[in-house]
Short mmCIF file of all heavy atoms in Angstrom, two decimals:
data_model
loop_
_atom_site.label_atom_id
_atom_site.label_comp_id
_atom_site.label_asym_id
_atom_site.label_seq_id
_atom_site.Cartn_x
_atom_site.Cartn_y
_atom_site.Cartn_z
N ASN A 65 -164.45 -44.32 104.43
CA ASN A 65 -163.08 -44.43 104.83
C ASN A 65 -162.13 -44.51 103.65
O ASN A 65 -161.21 -45.36 103.58
CB ASN A 65 -162.86 -45.68 105.78
CG ASN A 65 -163.74 -45.59 107.02
OD1 ASN A 65 -163.99 -44.54 107.52
ND2 ASN A 65 -164.18 -46.74 107.47
N PRO A 67 -159.09 -43.70 101.18
CA PRO A 67 -157.71 -43.21 101.45
C PRO A 67 -157.47 -41.84 100.81
O PRO A 67 -158.18 -41.50 99.85
CB PRO A 67 -156.80 -44.32 100.79
CG PRO A 67 -157.73 -44.90 99.75
CD PRO A 67 -159.11 -44.88 100.30
N TYR A 69 -155.24 -40.88 98.83
CA TYR A 69 -154.75 -40.94 97.45
C TYR A 69 -155.81 -41.37 96.47
O TYR A 69 -155.50 -41.56 95.27
CB TYR A 69 -153.54 -41.87 97.34
CG TYR A 69 -153.80 -43.26 97.87
CD1 TYR A 69 -154.51 -44.21 97.09
CD2 TYR A 69 -153.34 -43.67 99.12
CE1 TYR A 69 -154.78 -45.51 97.58
CE2 TYR A 69 -153.63 -44.95 99.60
CZ TYR A 69 -154.33 -45.85 98.84
OH TYR A 69 -154.58 -47.10 99.29
N ILE A 85 -161.44 -51.81 95.22
CA ILE A 85 -162.26 -52.32 96.34
C ILE A 85 -162.15 -51.37 97.53
O ILE A 85 -161.01 -51.08 97.93
CB ILE A 85 -161.80 -53.72 96.80
CG1 ILE A 85 -161.78 -54.70 95.63
CG2 ILE A 85 -162.73 -54.24 97.90
CD1 ILE A 85 -163.05 -55.01 95.03
N LEU A 86 -163.29 -50.91 98.05
CA LEU A 86 -163.32 -49.99 99.17
C LEU A 86 -164.28 -50.55 100.19
O LEU A 86 -165.07 -51.41 99.91
CB LEU A 86 -163.73 -48.55 98.73
CG LEU A 86 -162.71 -47.77 97.97
CD1 LEU A 86 -163.41 -46.63 97.25
CD2 LEU A 86 -161.62 -47.23 98.86
N GLN A 87 -164.29 -49.92 101.38
CA GLN A 87 -165.32 -50.27 102.38
C GLN A 87 -166.71 -49.76 101.90
O GLN A 87 -166.82 -48.59 101.47
CB GLN A 87 -164.95 -49.64 103.72
CG GLN A 87 -163.74 -50.26 104.38
CD GLN A 87 -163.45 -49.65 105.75
OE1 GLN A 87 -164.30 -49.19 106.41
NE2 GLN A 87 -162.16 -49.63 106.10
N THR A 102 -167.23 -54.77 102.02
CA THR A 102 -166.58 -54.05 100.96
C THR A 102 -167.36 -54.07 99.68
O THR A 102 -168.31 -54.84 99.56
CB THR A 102 -165.14 -54.62 100.68
OG1 THR A 102 -165.32 -56.00 100.30
CG2 THR A 102 -164.24 -54.54 101.88
N ASP A 168 -157.47 -53.95 96.07
CA ASP A 168 -158.18 -53.80 97.35
C ASP A 168 -157.51 -52.74 98.18
O ASP A 168 -156.40 -52.95 98.60
CB ASP A 168 -158.26 -55.13 98.09
CG ASP A 168 -159.11 -55.11 99.32
OD1 ASP A 168 -159.39 -53.98 99.82
OD2 ASP A 168 -159.45 -56.15 99.85
N ILE A 169 -158.16 -51.61 98.38
CA ILE A 169 -157.62 -50.52 99.23
C ILE A 169 -158.59 -50.28 100.39
O ILE A 169 -158.65 -49.17 100.90
CB ILE A 169 -157.37 -49.25 98.40
CG1 ILE A 169 -158.61 -48.80 97.64
CG2 ILE A 169 -156.20 -49.45 97.47
CD1 ILE A 169 -158.43 -47.44 96.99
N SER A 170 -159.28 -51.32 100.81
CA SER A 170 -160.25 -51.17 101.90
C SER A 170 -159.57 -51.21 103.27
O SER A 170 -160.21 -50.89 104.28
CB SER A 170 -161.30 -52.28 101.80
OG SER A 170 -160.73 -53.56 102.00
N GLY A 171 -158.33 -51.69 103.33
CA GLY A 171 -157.65 -51.84 104.61
C GLY A 171 -156.42 -50.88 104.71
O GLY A 171 -156.24 -50.03 103.81
N ALA A 172 -155.64 -51.06 105.71
CA ALA A 172 -154.43 -50.21 105.92
C ALA A 172 -153.41 -50.41 104.82
O ALA A 172 -152.67 -49.49 104.47
CB ALA A 172 -153.85 -50.53 107.30
N LYS A 173 -153.31 -51.65 104.30
CA LYS A 173 -152.39 -51.95 103.22
C LYS A 173 -153.12 -52.37 101.99
O LYS A 173 -154.17 -53.05 102.04
CB LYS A 173 -151.47 -53.11 103.69
CG LYS A 173 -150.61 -52.82 104.89
CD LYS A 173 -149.41 -51.97 104.56
CE LYS A 173 -148.44 -51.86 105.74
NZ LYS A 173 -147.29 -51.01 105.32
N ALA A 174 -152.65 -51.98 100.82
CA ALA A 174 -153.26 -52.34 99.54
C ALA A 174 -152.92 -53.76 99.19
O ALA A 174 -151.84 -54.27 99.54
CB ALA A 174 -152.83 -51.38 98.47
N ARG A 175 -153.81 -54.42 98.45
CA ARG A 175 -153.58 -55.77 97.96
C ARG A 175 -154.08 -55.87 96.50
O ARG A 175 -155.12 -55.35 96.20
CB ARG A 175 -154.31 -56.82 98.80
CG ARG A 175 -153.86 -56.91 100.25
CD ARG A 175 -154.60 -58.02 100.95
NE ARG A 175 -156.01 -57.78 101.00
CZ ARG A 175 -156.96 -58.74 101.04
NH1 ARG A 175 -156.60 -60.00 101.01
NH2 ARG A 175 -158.23 -58.40 101.08
N SER A 195 -149.33 -48.30 99.84
CA SER A 195 -148.47 -49.16 100.66
C SER A 195 -149.05 -50.56 100.57
O SER A 195 -150.20 -50.85 100.92
CB SER A 195 -148.52 -48.67 102.10
OG SER A 195 -147.78 -49.53 102.92
#
Side-chain angles (χ1 to χ4, degrees):
N65 301 328
Y69 55 77
I85 308 293
L86 288 163
Q87 292 181 29
T102 58
D168 186 343
I169 54 173
S170 64
K173 298 283 187 179
R175 295 184 298 152
S195 177

